[in-house]
Structures are given as C-alpha cells and as structure tokens.
Amino acid sequence: MKSSDIRNAFVNYFKKNGHTAVASSSLIPENDPTLLFANAGMNQFKNTFLGLEKRDYTRAVTAQKCVRAGGKHNDLENVGFTARHHTFFEMLGNFSFGDYFKKEAIHFAWEFLTKELAIPKEKLYVTVHISDDEAADIWHTQEGIPKDRIFRFDADNFWKMGDTGPCGPSTEIFYDHGPKAGAISDPFKGIAAGEDRFVEIWNLVFMQYFENPPGTLTPLPKPSVDTGGGLERMVAAMQGKFNNYDTDLFMPMINLACKIGNLQYVTDKEILAQDKHAMEITSALRVLADHCRSTAFLIADGALPSNEGRGYVLRRIMRRAIRYGRKLSADKSFLPGMAEALIENMGDVYPELKQRRDHILNTIRDEEDRFISTLDNGTNILLEEIARTKSKGQKDLSGEMVFKMYDTYGFPADLTRVIANEHGIEVNEEAFEKEMEANRAKSKASWKGKALGADEQHLIKFAKDYSGAGKTVKFTGYGDFAGGGKIAALSNGHEAVSALKNGETGVIIVDQTSFYGEGGGQAGDTGYIMNGPSRAKVINTTKIDDIILHHVEIDHGDFQVGAAVDTIVNPSERRNSMSNHSATHLLHAALRKVLGTHVTQAGSLVDSQKTRFDFTHNKPLSSEEIRQIEDLVNEQIAMAHEVKVEIMAPKEAQAKGAMALFGEKYGDQVRVLTMGDFSCELCGGTHVKNTSQIRLFKVISEAGVSAGVRRVEAITGDGAVRYAMNAVAHFDDALAAAGLQKSPHYLKHLEITGETATLANRVESLKEQIKHMEKEVKKLQGGQIDVDDLAAKALSFKTKSGAMAKLVLADLTLDDRTVLAEVTDHLKNKIQSGVVVVVGQGADSHPIIVSVSKEITGDAKAGDLLKEVAAVMGGKGGGRPDFAQGAAPNRASLTQAFDKVKSLLGI
C-alpha cells in the first residue's frame, strides 16, 4: 500500500465518520511566538482546546506537517542512525472538541487499523496510564483485546499542554515488527525499553482535566480528544519495512542520491552491522533524505537560513546535510537534486512545494555555495585540532575551538560535535556556551556604544529604582499630543536630583506623559515640557522597564520634583511618525502578498522622516515587485480603512490572526492594530486613525543587509508628495532636454505614456553611445603609446636558470588599468620572454602592473616583484606568478623602484 493511499485512507475514514478535513497548518506558527515550529497535529487547534476559539465543527481530521529539530522536541542527533527518528514527519490525527470521548476514539483507531488497513490484531499491543481503568476496560470489553496485550505505564501515558492547562491520560498502540527487528521478545519489556521491534504507531490523548499549580487536577466539563499517528511509522508497518527510510516516503530521494554519487544503499541489518563503510554510506543517505524533506518544507513555509531563531535551526539542518553529502562525494551536489525529487513526489499533496519550487531550490543552492566555500578548509583545521587534542591525551574539544568553528567557518556546534565524535572526541558544551555568552555580551556592548558608560548605567539604575518602588508612568499619547502630569523624579544625567535649572541638561520622569518612549522600532518623541514660564526642550524620549525618560535641555526657568507640568509633543513630527509607522504595517502585509509568506520582519526603524523595514528574503526585489508593493499599499491608503485598536490577551490576539514576532515576550494584555482585512499586528506604537491620513507611500531604496535579509526604506505623507512632485518636475525637465514633448497633467488610467517610454529609450540609447565612446577613448589612449619604442629600450638579463630574458620599465601618464593592462600585454608579446613593469599616473594613487612570461615564473614571480616596487613607492599589491597589480601614493620614488627591479633581476 502506497504512502499516499494510507494518508488518503486515514482522512477519508474519519470524514466518513463525521469529521471535517482540515488542511495542515504552516510549519511556521506565525500566531504563536512561543512555538519554534509546528510539532504536533494539535498545534493549530490549541486555542480551540483552550476555549479561546470556536469552530463550526466539533470533529476534525488532519495530516499535519511537523518539524522537531530544536528546543524540547529535538530529534536531530538521532536522525539517520535509528529506524524512526526524523526532523520532518507527517502526523495523522483525529480530534474531538467536547464531542466524543474514550469509547469512540478507541473504536475509531482500532477499526481503522484492523479493518481499513487490515493489520492483523496479533501484531498490535496497547498501553494505558496506570490510573486509567476506564480506557483499559474499553479496550478489553469493547474491542476484545486480551488483558495480557494491554500494558500500564505512568509518565509515558500522561500528556500535558504545559505547566497549567488541559491534560489527561493517553493510550498508545504499538506495532510488532517481529523477531528480526529486535532482540527483546517480551512486548512489555520491549515497549518499556523503546526497542525497534515494538513501535508506537498511534497515540490517543484524553483531555479530561485542567491542571492548576501545584499539580491540582480539575475535571473538564467537556473532555476532548487529541490523537496523533506518525505516517512514516504506519507506512513502514504496511510496507513490511523495519526502517522508515526504506519506504516510498524516502526512497525516491535516496535512489536519486545513489544515481548522482554512483552509490549503493544497503538495507540489510546484518550486512550493515559487519560493513562499516556500507553503514556510513547508508546513514549519510538517510540523513540527506530526512534533511532534504525538512529543508524543502521549511523554506516553502517561509523559513530562511540565518544565524538566529528558526533560521538558525534550518541552517543547522542544511549544513549537516551538506557535510554528509561531502562525505559521500567531494565534487557532487546532492541536496538540490533530492529536493527536486521530493517536490515531484509530494507536490500534489502539498502544493506549496510546487508553487515555491524555484525559491526552495535557489535557497538551497545559495546556502550550499556559501557553506562549501569554508567547509573543506574548516574541516581540515578541525581535524588538526582533534589530532592535537588526542596527542595531549585529552578527550574533550575546547569550547574556544567549537566557537571558532561556528564563528569563523560557519560550523553549527552540533556539526562540530558529529565530526569530533567520529574521531572519538567529545565537545565541551559548557565551555562553548560560555564562549557564546561572552560573544553576545561583546556584541551587545559594541552595539550599544556608550550605553555601558557610567552615565548610562546611572540612567538604567534611575529607571529601575523608580519602577522597583512600585511606581509607573502612564502613557496618554495615543489619543493626545499634549497632556498634564507631575514630575516624579529628576536626574542631571549623573545622579538623581531634586531640581534642574536653566541651562542644565538632564532627564525628567513624569507620572503620566503624552511623549512616546523609543521602542518597537519607533523613535522617541520630541517637544516641550512646560511649568508656567519654565520650559524644558525634550530632545529625545526613551524607555527603560516601561519607565518613560524625557531627555531635556532646560532653556527657561527651573523644574522641581512634584511640580505640575504640561507635556507637549511636537505635533508635526509625531504625525509623520504615525504615518510612517502605519505604512510599515501595510508594507509588511504587502511584502508577504507579493513575495510570499516566507517574509517576516527582521528589524525596523520608524521616525518622522521615513520608515526602514528589514525582512527575510534571499534576493533583490525587481522594479516590478516594488511597483506591486507600492500599488498595494497605496490602494489600502485610498480605501480609507479605520485603524482599529483592541486590547486583549495574547492568546485571543493569536486566535484573531494578529501577527506576532517569534521570540518576543508579551504581557498579559497586548495591543492589536487592524487595518481592514489587509493587516493585523501586535503593536504598542502610535498610529494614524485612518489609513487615508498616510496620503501617499513611496519606496525610495531597497538593498541587502545580510545573507537572507533585505531592507526597504520608504516615505509617506508630505515627504512622499514632495518626492513625487519633484520627480515629475525632473521628468519634465528631462523630456525637454531630450527634445520630447512634456508629460500631460494626468495619465489616462494611470498608464505609462508614450513620452515616458520614448524618454527611457532615449536614455538607453545615450548610455550605449557613451559606452561606445569610452571604448574608443581607451583605444586612442592605448594607441598613443609607442609600444615599439618601449620594447626597443628593453634591458637584457639572464635568469637564475640561465635563460636570456628582457626587462621593460614603462613610466606612463595613464590611470586606466584596462588600458595599462593591454599595453603590458603588448609589451610582453613584443619582447617574447621577460618581465614588464608599468607604472601609471593617477590623482592620489598610482597604478602598478607587473607581468612575467610564464616560462620564467620559476625564477621571477610577478607578485614578488610588485610587492617590492610598491613598497619603495609606499604602496602595496599582489597577484599571480605571471600577473600582479597594485597601487602606491609616492611617485617621486619611481626611479628607486625601477632600480630595485633591476637589482632583483641582477641587472
């Protein structure tokens, strides 16, 4: 029975029994920042189980994509070396949300396995929790399973959603692969030991309690059911395979890899036990097959390799696979081809694979190219260090070395561990973590600049002392640009004070303020704090521990603790910041619609001048993509959506579909901003009340920030309008300069006019003319040099090998390296065998080129000669034995430099 038939049979069986078929959720749980990846079928139903979300059905069935390769659920170390561990797998599951319970769930599972799949009953065993007499009785009396095939366990048969929340006993079904699969014949002992012969193929969780700390269980009014069965394990049972990797879920990729590398995949356990080389090949192929699946599915769902969060887990998986591929072949690439085989075999079931095929394959090739460039060199250095460690009689690789491999050569720590373990060496994990922590602290200090100075440390303590006393600052600026409050604390920047006087600078804490403190990517407000005639200019507003700090210059009067003040934000700057911030939300949504849901925020900066947004994407945006993004954002602006603000619990926000940032910590209440049905995000910043207030959105730049991260800068409001008007004015001037008719006052249906197209053609034509003219100029420059005369002045010398050669020393007044290189080649051809040294003339730095005939490079190397010439003239350079180039600032030393060459050649 094919894996696709088993998957379909499962879904169809439960549909026949009143269940609604629900599509797999994404592996990237964008509405649950607490979860690294979807790792169970119930993830997408968590809010339903918690009572936070109601669905129009009470029974569901799914085939859910899952990844376990980080955090608590991490199978990465075992992948490829056991029969059933995977980073990616499919979880088949049926669910009851307060509908049926134990009797029906047990019956459905047993009937599907024994009737739909026709698995012999004598091949199956069940386990229940030690306290669950009810489930044990149902198995025995309802389904007729003998009591000696029902085993009781404790912790393995009790499931919890977390420290608090729904929980309950579970019952598991195990498949017996027979005596050839394992040495333990006793089923109870085999199940307890996790032996390969007895494999769990289905787990039924009965959520019948709610746990409150410390361990108090309260019965739920409507118990629910959450079941999960690994498709890979079911398929292995149905296809008579002891090892999941030998099934049709993996073999298409493995067969292709064998074809690419001319390899043999061995499945016989006895042969593998005796043949170490065959075992290494088979294990490597299994690692590749598994990692190919998780790689392709994660990229399809929006992950990109990076050095943090989900992206780092993906990078670890990919680089582990690349390294195992390198062990199979020094010059063959496995991962891209295997990914293509996966897409071909599973693209119909999961269409996102086919839809994002090019993106998947390009990302894999990019990461492979990036890692291969350091893999071989890094491996050699690591092996040398392992050898040194062994020679000293030590058993642990130092944490410093593990960090060096990570930091310099891009080796994830677990990859270094794998290589070390292969050579009988362990990794000092604790020391490595200390190195990582020290590096994080160093980076943090570097990033903060002066933030670790004494004054800044004082401000941190100043704010913490205030909050530590149970005091808070109320922000009133969402609705108003001005407000009133009392000065709660003052600092002169060095210490807490009771007053600030005219001409002094410092920090003011007000018990409530209309000033927004820098945070969430939005810059802090500026403006004034007033106390009668006394005035403090607020030059910046920051926030520490939710305490808003006003950084001020007192330009009139004085301020004292306890004084009543007015907080007045600069209205123009705030409006522009609000416009840019709201546009950032629309931009984020537009990027995901145009480029794909792999786009996630990687950083942002919003102020009164612009919005800067960093996002995950592995190639530059085309002009057409930028235009589509602008059109989408401006369309939402024109639709004049109300910017709706709601305060709710994080789980309610997740259920609503609000985008949250992975790894971000949220309080008991969050602020949700919604703009029509286009954008919904968690955000504490200030925003316009209606999208029409943004007026206009224009992208002004797009560039790469780091591998897999792009940056867009954009402007809105008055700035965007001025930008557009200036662009039209420049456009009209360009038309006039090109002798074309000026553009009309409006463009029919917003189409590009003929004048625009004509101007673009004219510009391209002029660019081609300029290129042609530059080539002609270079030819003329080169043609003015009398190569014959220079060659005639060549000096003869004898090489160390005894051969006769010539030396040409050329002092030229050209700066163009291309022309100089051509002249050098002509001179070398003229003298046939020898050395040519050419020095040009630039403004501040002067180009130097040295060329040596290949037949004498054993006696005179261009790179060595160039370094000597450049050093005399105060410069540097290098290159190959036959060709080198550099530059130097001191042309006055040219004669000495030429003399140095003569001396080196014995002339």
Side-chain angles (χ1 to χ4, degrees), residues 524-772:
D525 282 329
T526 62
Y528 292 95
I529 294 178
M530 307 290 294
N531 174 20
S534 297
R535 187 175 77 170
K537 182 180 180 181
V538 180
I539 56 177
N540 192 19
T541 310
T542 60
K543 187 163 57 178
I544 298 174
D545 279 0
D546 291 328
I547 304 303
I548 296 173
L549 306 178
H550 307 81
H551 300 255
V552 300
E553 296 174 349
I554 312 300
D555 59 11
H556 194 275
D558 58 24
F559 289 83
Q560 297 182 350
V561 173
V565 293
D566 294 318
T567 57
I568 305 168
V569 173
N570 183 316
S572 175
E573 289 198 358
R574 167 69 81 78
R575 286 193 191 95
N576 289 337
S577 292
M578 290 162 59
S579 174
N580 287 334
H581 201 160
S582 297
T584 303
H585 285 221
L586 295 176
L587 168 63
H588 190 185
L591 284 164
R592 288 172 64 85
K593 288 184 184 297
V594 173
L595 305 178
T597 55
H598 65 277
V599 168
T600 55
Q601 181 175 334
S604 68
L605 174 63
V606 174
D607 57 25
S608 60
Q609 301 298 312
K610 66 181 181 307
T611 175
R612 188 183 77 198
F613 189 76
D614 296 346
F615 58 96
T616 54
H617 191 59
N618 61 358
K619 62 180 179 180
L621 272 60
S622 67
S623 299
E624 180 57 31
E625 286 170 335
I626 292 174
R627 185 172 297 167
Q628 288 178 30
I629 290 162
E630 289 175 333
D631 287 347
L632 275 174
V633 174
N634 283 312
E635 179 181 42
Q636 296 304 310
I637 292 170
M639 292 175 75
H641 293 301
E642 174 194 358
V643 179
K644 188 176 180 182
V645 179
E646 298 173 281
I647 307 297
M648 60 185 71
K651 289 179 179 176
E652 290 181 74
Q654 292 163 17
K656 181 181 173 68
M659 286 196 65
L661 298 181
F662 177 73
E664 195 77 13
K665 292 183 179 179
Y666 297 99
D668 295 335
Q669 297 286 299
V670 294
R671 192 164 177 263
V672 180
L673 264 84
T674 307
M675 302 181 199
D677 58 0
F678 192 76
S679 170
C680 183
E681 289 193 38
L682 304 187
C683 184
T686 61
H687 290 265
V688 298
K689 296 187 181 301
N690 189 289
T691 59
S692 63
Q693 293 173 309
I694 301 172
R695 296 180 67 194
L696 182 66
F697 172 86
K698 181 74 180 94
V699 173
I700 56 173
S701 72
E702 189 276 337
V705 177
S706 60
V709 178
R710 306 296 300 177
R711 171 173 292 171
V712 162
E713 291 191 353
I715 51 178
T716 68
D718 293 342
V721 171
R722 285 194 299 271
Y723 183 95
M725 296 301 292
N726 287 337
V728 171
H730 290 315
F731 174 65
D732 287 344
D733 290 344
L735 284 173
L740 301 170
Q741 180 183 351
K742 284 192 175 183
S743 63
H745 295 295
Y746 59 88
L747 306 177
K748 186 179 180 181
H749 304 302
L750 299 181
E751 293 175 351
I752 302 295
T753 63
E755 287 83 355
T756 307
T758 305
L759 178 61
N761 292 339
R762 181 65 61 88
V763 170
E764 286 301 318
S765 175
L766 289 171
K767 284 166 66 177
E768 288 300 319
Q769 289 180 39
I770 290 169
K771 282 183 183 179
H772 178 71

Side-chain angles (χ1 to χ4, degrees), residues 374-394:
T374 62
L375 175 60
D376 294 340
N377 190 30
T379 300
N380 290 334
I381 289 171
L382 178 57
L383 292 177
E384 289 174 4
E385 183 63 23
I386 289 172
R388 276 193 292 271
T389 302
K390 281 185 169 183
S391 68
K392 295 175 184 177
Q394 298 172 350

Side-chain angles (χ1 to χ4, degrees), residues 461-473 488-489 509 511 547:
K461 184 177 183 300
F462 179 59
K464 288 185 179 293
D465 286 348
Y466 183 84
S467 62
K471 300 176 183 178
T472 60
V473 173
I509 296 178
D511 63 353
I547 304 303

Side-chain angles (χ1 to χ4, degrees), residues 66-69 72-90 177 193-196 198-200 230-233 236 242-247 250 254 265 282-283 285-294 317 320:
C66 297
V67 164
R68 291 183 182 175
K72 185 173 76 171
H73 300 291
N74 185 1
D75 290 339
L76 188 59
E77 294 300 316
N78 297 316
V79 170
F81 300 94
T82 70
R84 57 184 184 271
H85 281 99
H86 307 292
T87 54
F88 173 88
F89 60 96
E90 293 178 81
H177 278 280
E195 220 259 355
D196 282 346
F198 304 96
V199 176
E200 175 207 327
L231 175 64
E232 292 75 12
R233 298 183 181 193
F242 299 145
N243 195 301
N244 293 357
Y245 291 98
D246 300 343
T247 67
F250 295 90
I254 290 174
Y265 177 68
T282 294
S283 296
L285 288 167
R286 288 170 175 172
V287 169
L288 279 161
D290 172 89
H291 290 9
C292 159
R293 289 177 10 126
S294 51
I317 292 170
R320 191 170 186 260

